[in-house]
Amino acid sequence: MNIKKEEISKVVKKAVEEVQIVDLHTHIFDLRFKDLLLWGVDDLLTYHYLIAEVMRLSDMPYDELWKMSVKDQSNLIWKKLFIENSPVSEATRGVITVLKSVGLDPSKRDLEGYRKFFASKKVDEYIDLVFKTAHIKYVVMTNDPFVEDERKIWIKNEKGDARFKSALRIDPLLVKWPSSYLKLKEWGYDVEEKLTEKAFSEIKRFLSDWIDRMNPVYMAASLPPEFKIPSDTETALIIENAIIPVSYEHNVPFAMMIGAKKLSNPQLKLAGDSVGKADINTVEYLARMYPHNKFLITMLSRENQHELVVAARKFRNIHVFGCWWFLNNPSVVDEITRERMEMLGLSFTPQHSDARVLDQLIYKWDHSKKVIEKVLTDKYSDILEDGWVITEEEVKRDVEKLFGGEFEAFLKRRF
Ligand code: RAT
Ligand code: ZN
């Protein structure tokens, strides 16, 4: 049945509320990875986004912060960002959304009480609760074989939880070759620092071995603003001579997350990365030169968004995803999602959560869904105004595409 104009917002709201989400980029882990899975109020409060915010209000030496226990850091953040100031930033608001959604009362401002609640939970049951509350079908993790704590679990080849799929993350291979080649050597690959044909074939063997082991949804790397291909940098050479052929051969797309300026303030550690505008020509070059390869692309700088959408219109082997990191704020998500929908229709994935703490799945999706719902309602309203008709099933279909369906369809395509 066709939807009446005045009912469109209600129908979209329901469809967005109920959709089962594919979260295509997170940093959470299944239970095999034990302590690498972060959850609960102290992990929420010590999220690196909040570390950056709290240090703006303090003259404490950075070293002192890093010497503190997680609990003490969390106490400090609670006091400074929630009690001495109102939690109006996106990352502080997120903590409140989580507390409310799991049945706690944010108006009590009772950090100890919240801690008791989480201490009483069993992690496996809590995973179920979070996935149910956030309507998650499955998440894609970030799995870096160069991280020893992860590697030792992968090489056991244990079966994981099907709701957690893997992504083979290869930043060290691409951006730290002069040290990471030593690791490859240690693991039995016949490489030297010099990038010879032999080295490329050994890197390909390394990637294939890890693809066989992890069965990843994609390979991925975070790349700096100055990332440029073609060029004679190690990053460019390894991508063109090893990643591209392996990605094609295994039909595992290459996800490029471009524009992260690593450790702009090293004292802040993980919280110290910044952003820079990157060169869209690199993205277009790869899509043009390798039309049979598939690329998942997100860019960090707001200034890159328009040209990225245009590039995606030109190259069907680019799938644009997410409002990444510093863009994951309602005002910016709204702008970018409109821009993308106006030029790509439904052929993109508006958001991923980037959750580092399990519970963040709840707030990241709650906040983004509200914005995406608004954008979609406006777009439907415009065409209904001009006489188009839409059924409830069509709204459901469209919403499913935006929250994972289109991504899955892209994974299945072979160009
Ligand atoms: O958003 C974040 O938490 C960043 O620190 C990064 O992890 C980024 O998302 C990445 O995947 O490199
Ligand atoms: Zn991330």
Side-chain angles (χ1 to χ4, degrees), residues 40 56 103 164 170 251 256 296 304 314 327 358-359 399-400:
R56 296 187 45 71
F164 293 75
I170 46 174
N251 194 21
M256 292 183 282
L296 298 163
N304 278 127
K314 307 298 140 193
L327 301 173
L358 173 68
D359 328 46
V399 168
E400 277 166 9

Side-chain angles (χ1 to χ4, degrees), residues 301-313:
S301 153
R302 182 174 175 231
E303 289 69 26
N304 278 127
Q305 300 310 317
H306 186 258
E307 51 197 20
L308 174 59
V309 177
V310 175
R313 283 177 71 85

Side-chain angles (χ1 to χ4, degrees), residues 25 27 257 324 354:
H25 171 60
H27 297 263
M257 308 172 68
W324 182 23
D354 233 312

Side-chain angles (χ1 to χ4, degrees), residues 25-27 47-49 142 169 171 221-223 257 260 262 270-271 273 300 324-326 352-356 360 364:
H25 171 60
T26 75
H27 297 263
Y47 184 31
H48 71 86
Y49 292 23
T142 296
R169 183 78 176 234
D171 300 20
S222 160
L223 296 152
M257 308 172 68
K262 288 282 165 199
L270 185 57
D273 297 349
L300 192 54
W324 182 23
W325 202 344
F326 310 115
H352 63 267
S353 76
D354 233 312
R356 279 182 179 267
Q360 289 172 341
K364 301 254 188 187

Side-chain angles (χ1 to χ4, degrees), residues 137-330:
K137 186 156 130 199
Y138 62 85
V139 301
V140 181
M141 306 181 279
T142 296
N143 304 110
D144 183 342
F146 289 86
V147 173
E148 195 44 43
D149 284 349
E150 265 208 57
R151 188 187 140 75
K152 64 180 188 225
I153 290 157
W154 282 110
I155 56 183
K156 288 190 197 158
N157 288 324
E158 287 168 359
K159 204 170 150 41
D161 179 334
R163 293 171 299 177
F164 293 75
K165 294 190 191 284
S166 69
L168 174 55
R169 183 78 176 234
I170 46 174
D171 300 20
L173 188 67
L174 294 183
V175 297
K176 286 192 194 143
W177 176 250
S179 57
S180 46
Y181 89 91
L182 289 167
K183 284 275 171 204
L184 258 68
K185 229 176 138 103
E186 186 188 321
W187 297 329
Y189 299 92
D190 188 6
V191 288
E192 296 300 333
E193 186 171 357
K194 195 161 163 14
L195 285 167
T196 57
E197 279 311 313
K198 173 83 185 159
F200 292 133
S201 99
E202 284 296 90
I203 295 171
K204 285 193 275 187
R205 187 164 71 87
F206 166 77
L207 293 169
S208 300
D209 288 350
W210 278 93
I211 288 174
D212 290 346
R213 177 170 288 128
M214 279 182 183
N215 189 24
V217 179
Y218 54 80
M219 291 184 274
S222 160
L223 296 152
E226 55 279 4
F227 170 51
K228 182 148 183 51
I229 304 188
S231 78
D232 57 6
T233 59
E234 282 140 353
T235 309
L237 294 171
I238 295 172
I239 288 179
E240 286 201 82
N241 293 287
I243 310 293
I244 294 285
V246 169
S247 172
Y248 175 73
E249 195 184 309
H250 292 262
N251 194 21
V252 173
F254 180 38
M256 292 183 282
M257 308 172 68
I258 312 171
K261 208 190 283 170
K262 288 282 165 199
L263 294 179
S264 176
N265 179 356
Q267 307 234 62
L268 273 173
K269 299 190 178 174
L270 185 57
D273 297 349
S274 176
V275 57
K277 186 178 186 298
D279 185 356
I280 195 70
N281 289 314
T282 295
V283 173
E284 291 196 2
Y285 167 85
L286 286 169
R288 185 174 56 249
M289 292 299 288
Y290 305 102
H292 306 300
N293 272 70
K294 292 190 283 191
F295 301 94
L296 298 163
I297 314 272
T298 198
M299 296 181 89
L300 192 54
S301 153
R302 182 174 175 231
E303 289 69 26
N304 278 127
Q305 300 310 317
H306 186 258
E307 51 197 20
L308 174 59
V309 177
V310 175
R313 283 177 71 85
K314 307 298 140 193
F315 298 100
R316 62 185 181 169
N317 55 342
I318 293 177
H319 184 83
V320 174
F321 73 97
C323 296
W324 182 23
W325 202 344
F326 310 115
L327 301 173
N328 190 357
N329 297 311

